Amino acid sequence: DQQVKQNSPSLSVQEGRISILNCDYTNSMFDYFLWYKKYPAEGPTFLISISSIKDKNEDGRFTVFLNKSAKHLSLHIVPSQPGDSAVYFCAAKGTDSWGKLQFGAGTQVVVTP
Amino acid sequence: NAGVMQNPRHLVRRRGQEARLRCSPMKGHSHVYWYRQLPEEGLKFMVYLQKENIIDESGMPKERFSAEFPKEGPSILRIQQVVRGDSAAYFCASSRQGEENQPQHFGDGTRLSIL
């Protein structure tokens, strides 16, 4: 069962504009959420995380928003840069699952000049 | 390089052979996780280990797969009698702590191809 869903397989955005990536989850036991960026032939790189006690976390160009009632989180990247072109994965950890992360299927972001 | 180190980067095996994948965690990290990524899919959790202990192996196939993290040396993911369906990218991650909210940091993976 897919408990973390990224419904947009791809996103194209112009350089300098905002990229918004979305993620939905179904498990109410999730209490920690992360975003990773992945280039081909490399491992996922940690970008930003948020605990369920917060609704927003910001780090430079990256901001993650969490809406617990909707079981939805989003990643905003502003301004988008060509180096941001990658696959972005949303991941979640539950209070009942030790350190296990559950990942979405990913969103391919392409930043165009 | 203080990051998570995985080797080999690429591994080719024939059906029926054994595959051994190695992972050295980041310095200061004592928790190791293995994930598998099939083509066009996200990462799927396999196993979570601390030194000399398996904490959660709920994602491990019941047969042919095993993992260890000995007191000395890297963590090993072992696949016996490999089949074509084992072809995937296997990623190792490490963190300072397990159940607390610490991000996991990933290695660059081992791409396993079964002929």
Side-chain angles (χ1 to χ4, degrees), chain B residues 8-25:
Chain B
R9 290 295 308 276
H10 301 273
L11 182 60
V12 180
R13 285 288 178 266
R14 296 188 181 280
R15 281 179 295 171
Q17 291 184 320
E18 178 180 288
R20 282 189 180 230
L21 288 63
R22 295 173 184 78
C23 169
S24 295

Side-chain angles (χ1 to χ4, degrees), chain A residues 69-110:
Chain A
S69 61
K71 292 191 176 66
H72 177 84
L73 66 156
S74 61
L75 174 68
H76 292 207
I77 307 172
V78 56
S80 299
Q81 299 174 352
D84 296 333
S85 295
V87 177
Y88 288 77
F89 290 100
C90 169
K93 185 184 78 65
T95 57
D96 58 345
S97 59
W98 300 93
K100 168 182 175 179
L101 291 181
Q102 298 207 36
F103 282 82
T107 297
Q108 172 76 60
V109 172
V110 176

Side-chain angles (χ1 to χ4, degrees), chain A residues 32 36 41 43-44 93 99 101, chain B residues 9 35 99 101 104 107-108 111:
Chain A
Y32 184 54
Y36 287 86
K93 185 184 78 65
L101 291 181
Chain B
R9 290 295 308 276
Y35 293 83
E99 61 274 20
N101 290 340
Q104 295 176 19
D108 283 337
R111 271 95 186 143

